[in-house]
Amino acid sequence: MAGMHPIGIFDSGYGGLTVFRSIAAQMPGYDYIYLGDNGRAPYGNRSFETVYEYTLQCVRWFFDQGCPLVIIACNTASAKSLRTIQQNDLPGLAPDNRVLGVIRPTAEVIGTYTRTGSVGILGTRGTVNSRSYEIEISKFFPNVKVHPLACPIWVPLVEYGEYDTPGADFFVKKYIDELMAAAPDLDTVLLACTHYPLLLNAIKRHLPPNVSVVAQGDIVARSLQQYLERHNDMKDRLTTNGTMRFFTTDDTRDFDKHGAAFFGKAIHSEFVHLT
Ligand code: DGL
């Protein structure tokens, strides 16, 4: 990829494609590379050290492909590794490159969606246990009450293409009922996992009609656009041939088959072996 300087978009698997879809729609023309670490997904129940190690390895790979800017389109990886990578690794690795996540841009706006001031946050165990959303949201909206709930079964259901089945419906209802019992006053539910938009229909079906569901794709895309407006130095480094390449650390046929549902159109992936 000589001469190319794409924006890198990373997720443990397919979920980041829901973010990439919004980014590509809002910012066409840039070159993009997507990497799904499907071979090691899901990350959600893994330790801090493991998620950090995997994510750093993927970030290095993006840098080797010529990406000056990497978006960690995974809440779990953002929660568990982003700060360490930004503060400890980046200065030695590539001080002019940037790695951005999905939690902060979401925390910056989520308070504008709620009237009751009560928001449910659905995420993986890793994201919820990190308390990243409570911490970040309290900086921007100190009066908003945050109700986090881990839904550990949801990512495996989605990764294996079981998002529109009675089994998925059962596990969606289970967690939605738990959330509403704990916080009956909430009027907004944030899908704080980039896999969950695939369960949107089932989630809406089991929530009371007055509760709105917020997915992160458009929020992250808008925030990236604003970031590049503020950082012309970075914008000028990115190449703009309108290319998109997809990489996975697992079977490319599976990736193409399942990934299309997340991305909204057909994709052709390439296998990458991370060393
Ligand atoms: N898409 C990832 C997220 O946003 C899910 C992670 C996983 O468990 O691999 O958290």
Side-chain angles (χ1 to χ4, degrees), residues 23-130:
I23 291 176
Q26 285 190 36
M27 300 171 56
Y30 286 96
D31 295 310
Y32 293 102
I33 293 184
Y34 183 89
L35 173 63
D37 192 8
N38 300 76
R40 301 186 292 198
Y43 281 12
N45 297 328
R46 294 192 189 274
S47 71
F48 173 92
E49 289 74 17
T50 304
V51 173
Y52 163 67
E53 186 196 313
Y54 289 175
T55 307
L56 180 60
Q57 192 183 19
C58 293
V59 166
R60 282 176 189 271
W61 177 84
F62 279 112
F63 290 171
D64 290 344
Q65 309 311 305
C67 299
L69 176 63
V70 178
I71 311 300
I72 307 284
C74 174
N75 287 271
T76 310
S78 295
K80 291 195 168 193
S81 63
L82 183 62
R83 184 156 303 198
T84 316
I85 290 175
Q86 286 172 332
Q87 293 178 354
N88 296 359
D89 298 295
L90 206 51
L93 265 182
D96 295 332
N97 287 359
R98 290 291 171 266
V99 183
L100 307 174
V102 289
I103 296 179
R104 185 163 175 124
T106 309
E108 280 176 7
V109 298
I110 193 66
T112 62
Y113 288 82
T114 172
R115 291 218 184 93
T116 60
S118 179
V119 177
I121 308 280
L122 301 176
T124 65
R125 215 171 249 159
T127 300
V128 167
N129 289 350
S130 75

